[in-house]
Amino acid sequence: MQLYPNRLQDALNKGLAACYLIFGDEPQQKLESLEAIRQQARQQGFDERTSLVADTSFNWNQLLEASQTLSLFANRQIIEVEMPSGKPGIEGAKVLTQLAEQQNPDVLLILHGPRIGKDVQNAKWFKHLDKHGAYIPCYPLEGKQLSGWITDRLRRAGLQATPDVTKLLSDYCEGNLLAARQEIDKLALLYPGGQLDQSKAEQALVDQSRFNVFQLVDVLLAGDAQKAVKMLYRLESEGIEPTIVLWALVREWQTLSNLQFARSQGQNLSGLWSKYKIWSNRQSLYQQALQRLDAKHLQQMQGKLASLDQALKQSALTRPYIELCHLCLLFIPMPLQGIPLEYT
């Protein structure tokens, strides 16, 4: 059963599953999910907790032994296994499958790790555990999902906030739910039980948004210049190497060029998505970009990408992110009146 973090508490109130699979790259949701399960388990007599890390040197027999052994002072136990790679390997898969088939009502198994793909979700061990438990994917929140999360947190903190405050928090803390929680906690201390407007929030908030190059690419494909500049500024302040950003831009330029050429040859885009591994949730982004970027424009971009690559290799730029900003805006060749795009 797939269960999103915002529905976890409702499910826990109905009873504990035999195991939980918590995977994703959003740390705040993972921490909250773990704590919610632990708290519910403690209320049901799981008063011992064993934590294991299944790294490359891990002996999976440790998990078997832990599942069969209780201390003299505990009746039920939680076993948490952190899986840094998200994959257990051959030995681990056998052990996890065995545990799924030999359920013990006095043992609650929790596996957690980074984002996993369909290959892991379709593995035998995963399906066996998922059949008796719940899979909780924890992914970064954006748009309405992020606004909903912030609105709920403000309400829990006893704050009555205007929509402008929710928007402000979303902008300041996008990609960083931990920072959003900390900022909301701070606002609750400053204005306990009060009405919160934009003026009060602006005085207290610190911009703590965090982004990665993959999010930047999606914003460029969507044509959001203002957000792209903000992301670049945050990436630079976090010390992300400019070569990583350039790599992402070159990769997307190559994909767009291939799609544009294939379309000029009469091929339908619907037949190209799988070839270039573009999943359904991103196909509309590429369609938007292809409407803006013709073959001539993409050819001009090639020379500028090559020039920046050469300059970076020669360490010839004092502020490479300014050049990266110019390159990013080439993905958005449209009038930008009224949008402040100065990169300082």
Side-chain angles (χ1 to χ4, degrees):
M1 176 180 66
Q2 182 164 294
L3 188 65
Y4 288 101
N6 62 333
R7 301 295 183 189
L8 174 59
Q9 191 58 57
D10 291 340
L12 290 173
N13 292 338
K14 297 176 183 177
L16 281 171
C19 65
Y20 291 91
L21 308 162
I22 307 173
F23 291 92
D25 45 19
E26 207 303 299
Q28 179 61 28
Q29 291 185 90
K30 289 171 67 176
L31 288 171
E32 290 182 351
S33 297
L34 279 168
E35 186 51 41
I37 295 169
R38 291 167 184 163
Q39 183 176 352
Q40 188 72 17
R42 284 194 294 268
Q43 294 175 4
Q44 297 190 26
F46 289 85
D47 42 16
E48 180 176 292
R49 179 159 65 94
T50 300
S51 296
L52 304 170
V53 179
D55 55 18
T56 54
S57 61
F58 181 66
N59 184 346
W60 284 91
N61 286 326
Q62 291 180 249
L63 176 56
L64 281 178
E65 292 171 2
S67 67
Q68 298 166 2
T69 306
L70 286 172
S71 74
L72 296 175
F73 306 101
N75 296 316
R76 314 179 85 184
Q77 70 165 328
I78 304 170
I79 300 178
E80 297 178 8
V81 183
E82 179 183 356
M83 300 172 59
S85 69
K87 298 180 179 181
I90 297 175
E91 180 188 0
K94 290 180 180 178
V95 170
L96 291 173
T97 302
Q98 180 180 338
L99 288 177
E101 294 172 347
Q102 300 173 355
Q103 293 183 63
N104 184 344
D106 295 325
V107 174
L108 174 63
L109 178 64
I110 303 175
L111 305 181
H112 61 97
R115 180 191 289 252
I116 54 175
K118 290 295 183 182
D119 57 332
V120 175
Q121 296 174 48
N122 290 328
K124 180 180 178 181
W125 67 269
F126 190 96
K127 287 185 173 181
H128 273 62
L129 289 173
D130 187 37
K131 181 180 179 181
H132 303 290
Y135 166 44
I136 306 170
C138 299
Y139 301 146
L141 302 181
E142 298 178 348
K144 291 182 179 179
Q145 290 182 327
L146 177 59
S147 297
W149 187 92
I150 289 173
T151 299
D152 180 62
R153 283 315 172 97
L154 288 167
R155 178 185 57 79
R156 290 194 207 178
L159 292 168
Q160 301 175 42
T162 64
D164 288 341
V165 173
T166 302
K167 176 66 167 58
L168 189 64
L169 275 165
S170 297
D171 290 342
Y172 272 40
C173 301
E174 186 173 1
N176 193 353
L177 289 187
L178 176 59
R181 191 198 71 178
Q182 292 171 339
E183 293 295 338
I184 291 171
D185 290 345
K186 180 170 68 176
L187 290 169
L189 290 172
L190 292 172
Y191 310 105
Q195 181 73 33
L196 191 61
D197 58 26
Q198 185 170 357
S199 177
K200 291 178 180 178
E202 285 178 340
Q203 294 176 29
L205 294 179
V206 176
D207 192 344
Q208 300 190 63
S209 55
R210 294 180 62 187
F211 305 103
N212 59 48
V213 293
F214 301 107
Q215 291 170 300
L216 171 64
V217 164
D218 284 353
V219 168
L220 291 176
L221 293 175
D224 192 335
Q226 190 172 32
K227 190 170 184 179
V229 173
K230 176 183 177 181
M231 284 186 167
L232 278 171
Y233 180 80
R234 297 300 301 178
L235 290 170
E236 182 182 28
S237 66
E238 292 172 14
I240 303 300
E241 287 292 329
T243 51
I244 295 175
V245 181
L246 180 60
W247 164 83
L249 298 181
V250 171
R251 190 185 68 163
E252 292 310 313
W253 169 83
Q254 184 66 61
T255 300
L256 288 167
S257 297
N258 289 336
L259 291 173
Q260 188 67 268
F261 177 77
R263 197 167 66 165
S264 70
Q265 299 299 304
Q267 297 185 49
N268 195 300
L269 284 177
S270 60
L272 298 171
W273 300 133
S274 59
K275 178 179 180 180
Y276 294 104
K277 298 182 179 179
I278 300 173
W279 312 126
S280 58
N281 62 326
R282 302 185 71 230
Q283 290 169 9
S284 63
L285 295 176
Y286 282 93
Q287 290 173 330
Q288 292 177 54
L290 289 170
Q291 289 176 359
R292 300 190 307 268
L293 305 170
D294 57 24
K296 181 180 179 181
H297 187 87
L298 287 168
Q299 188 174 8
Q300 292 172 347
M301 289 175 65
Q302 181 181 16
K304 296 184 181 299
L305 288 165
S307 296
L308 181 55
D309 179 55
Q310 189 66 26
L312 289 176
K313 289 176 179 177
Q314 296 174 352
S315 301
L317 300 171
T318 55
R319 285 290 303 278
Y321 265 84
I322 293 178
E323 298 301 321
L324 284 171
C325 182
H326 294 158
L327 270 179
C328 285
L329 296 181
L330 290 177
F331 282 82
I332 314 171
M334 59 174 62
L336 300 170
Q337 294 91 341
I339 302 178
L341 295 175
E342 183 177 352
Y343 194 93
T344 58

